[in-house]
Amino acid sequence: MSNSVMPTYARMNVCFTHGEGPYLWDQNGTRYLDALSGIAVCGLGHAHPKVTEAVAQQAGRLVHTSNLYRIELQERLAERLCEMSGLDNVFFCNSGAEANEAALKIARRAGNDRGYQCPTVLVANGSFHGRTLGTLSATGNPKVHAGFDPLVAGFHHVPYSDLDALGEALNANGEICAVFVEPVQGEGGVVVPDPGFLTAVRTFCEDHDLILILDEVQTGMGRTGEWFAWQHDGARPDVMTLAKALGNGVPIGACLAGSQAQTLHPGSHGSTFGGNPLACAAALAVIDTIESDGLRQRASALGERMRAGFASALAGVDCVADIRGSGLMVGVELDQACGELVGAALEHGLLINVAAERTVRLLPPLILSDAQADQIVTICSDLIRAL
């Protein structure tokens, strides 16, 4: 491995040369079944023909002009996302962290408009929102914070899926302006909130005139069986962030805002590359494909199939603490650290991930076949039993 790349990742010693559908091939010609999708990015798998065609055609026409001018594809994409979500407008950027930064600026601006000295956002323990200083400070994981003090002020962390904790925090701090949560905590270990939690948070924000921000960077774009995870509960946010699967690997992020969160204006935020024609062409192809191929419904059915498969295959295995998820976000939590399973799965031609040290996290593409889903369950179950 090259020493010229800054060592911000503990990379595995495998290098992929090409992919097709749910498969990747390395430099030795070995094929791997990808149950991670580039960390929930390649929801349509690799080298999807419709995305490939859209990107190739657009690259031959126009890649970039800047946001000093109108961009037709950006306007079309914004209209589609607003129709899908019921929100009013969109700011485009290049990543989930950037989308979350935009959401935090919306909240901060709202708090400043109210005259708050330190506008504060309620965030959850165990959350992950990005690696920039702002999103890192919002993230509820001390390991992510380590070495980057002083953190950005204006965040109050509370337990996830705990409505009482939100009320206690509000009583203790009169300058809270927003609540910022993930509908399902991905990096936290595929943690699914209690039933009705998002709806209760929606009501809580309405009752106390707070902005509800939902981080759908990992859960959005059909991953949980709906376009956005909040749609399972009808808990429409005031602000929602997207990235990852929106471009199927082409970098693009989006921050959507409703009528209660219109705080940004010309000069208050921006992005050089955000929403350029190439990225928007890819995103429009992704939306069209998910819709035309019924992939949201497919994600829901496959997720149920995989969780049922794990429940059957791992019945009576003492180290299994929980099997959970939503759509094709599947987590198998063990009672011990299990990072070594990532390397063991690689040796069996399978790409997986371990989140929060002891949860096998699976984020396979939405195009998976039943047989491929069953293969993932079989390999992972065998490895867990061996552990």
Side-chain angles (χ1 to χ4, degrees):
M1 288 187 278
S2 173
N3 292 325
S4 299
V5 177
M6 195 174 289
T8 56
Y9 285 85
R11 300 176 192 270
M12 304 190 73
N13 191 24
V14 60
C15 183
F16 302 113
T17 59
H18 63 286
E20 182 179 354
Y23 293 106
L24 287 166
W25 282 262
D26 69 13
Q27 292 173 318
N28 299 317
T30 303
R31 190 181 74 169
Y32 300 83
L33 179 55
D34 187 359
L36 188 57
S37 302
I39 316 181
V41 168
C42 298
L44 301 183
H46 303 284
H48 192 282
K50 292 182 181 178
V51 178
T52 299
E53 180 182 10
V55 171
Q57 288 187 357
Q58 188 59 44
R61 292 194 193 101
L62 184 66
V63 172
H64 178 79
T65 59
S66 96
N67 284 294
L68 297 175
Y69 315 101
R70 287 183 56 191
I71 301 173
E72 180 186 1
L73 289 172
Q74 183 184 116
E75 293 175 4
R76 283 173 49 193
L77 178 58
E79 289 168 1
R80 290 290 297 276
L81 291 174
C82 289
E83 289 171 3
M84 292 156 56
S85 66
L87 297 175
D88 292 344
N89 49 30
V90 190
F91 170 79
F92 288 106
C93 49
N94 311 286
S95 68
E98 290 177 65
N100 285 338
E101 284 282 356
L104 292 172
K105 287 182 72 172
I106 288 172
R108 281 283 185 94
R109 189 62 178 261
N112 275 282
D113 288 346
R114 296 178 185 180
Y116 293 168
Q117 296 299 306
C118 183
T120 300
V121 178
L122 289 179
V123 286
N125 295 334
S127 61
F128 182 84
H129 298 294
R131 299 280 186 174
T132 61
L133 276 176
T135 57
L136 177 152
S137 300
T139 291
N141 184 346
K143 291 184 177 180
V144 176
H145 299 163
F148 296 105
D149 292 324
L151 299 180
V152 176
F155 297 102
H156 185 110
H157 290 85
V158 297
Y160 185 59
S161 192
D162 188 336
L163 193 65
D164 290 338
L166 293 178
E168 292 168 4
L170 190 63
N171 290 333
N173 186 333
E175 294 196 324
I176 290 171
C177 57
V179 177
F180 185 23
V181 295
E182 299 161 276
V184 178
Q185 289 189 335
E187 300 296 327
V190 193
V191 180
V192 182
D194 295 332
F197 173 67
L198 287 183
T199 304
V201 175
R202 172 68 277 174
T203 301
F204 176 84
C205 289
E206 290 171 357
D207 290 345
H208 299 285
D209 195 21
L210 306 177
I211 292 174
L212 174 59
I213 306 171
L214 293 184
D215 179 343
E216 292 259 12
V217 169
Q218 190 164 140
T219 54
M221 302 310 297
R223 170 74 39 196
T224 70
E226 294 284 358
W227 281 119
F228 318 114
W230 62 261
Q231 291 174 325
H232 293 287
D233 301 304
R236 180 182 289 113
D238 301 302
V239 178
M240 176 179 69
T241 57
L242 299 171
K244 287 192 180 289
L246 180 57
N248 207 60
V250 177
I252 184 171
C255 177
L256 287 76
S259 59
Q260 302 302 312
Q262 298 297 316
T263 64
L264 301 182
H265 55 74
S268 62
H269 199 46
S271 171
T272 296
F273 297 106
N276 71 30
L278 186 73
C280 290
L284 285 165
V286 167
I287 292 171
D288 288 342
T289 303
I290 292 174
E291 185 66 44
S292 64
D293 294 358
L295 294 180
R296 288 178 291 152
Q297 298 84 348
R298 182 68 178 153
S300 181
L302 280 173
E304 291 179 7
R305 181 187 185 96
M306 292 181 71
R307 288 189 294 276
F310 277 119
S312 176
L314 297 174
V317 178
D318 292 339
C319 71
V320 177
D322 195 16
I323 298 166
R324 57 179 179 260
S326 180
L328 281 177
M329 291 183 74
V330 179
V332 180
E333 182 182 354
L334 308 186
D335 64 2
Q336 59 188 284
C338 58
E340 64 265 38
L341 291 179
V342 176
L346 188 72
E347 294 178 0
H348 286 77
L350 179 67
L351 306 183
I352 67 169
N353 178 241
V354 168
E357 297 185 350
R358 61 183 195 178
T359 299
V360 176
R361 177 175 56 158
L362 303 170
L363 302 162
L366 280 56
I367 59 164
L368 213 61
S369 70
D370 288 355
Q372 291 159 349
D374 294 343
Q375 183 182 0
I376 293 169
V377 171
T378 297
I379 294 174
C380 286
S381 298
D382 289 347
L383 293 174
I384 290 169
R385 282 195 298 267
L387 180 69

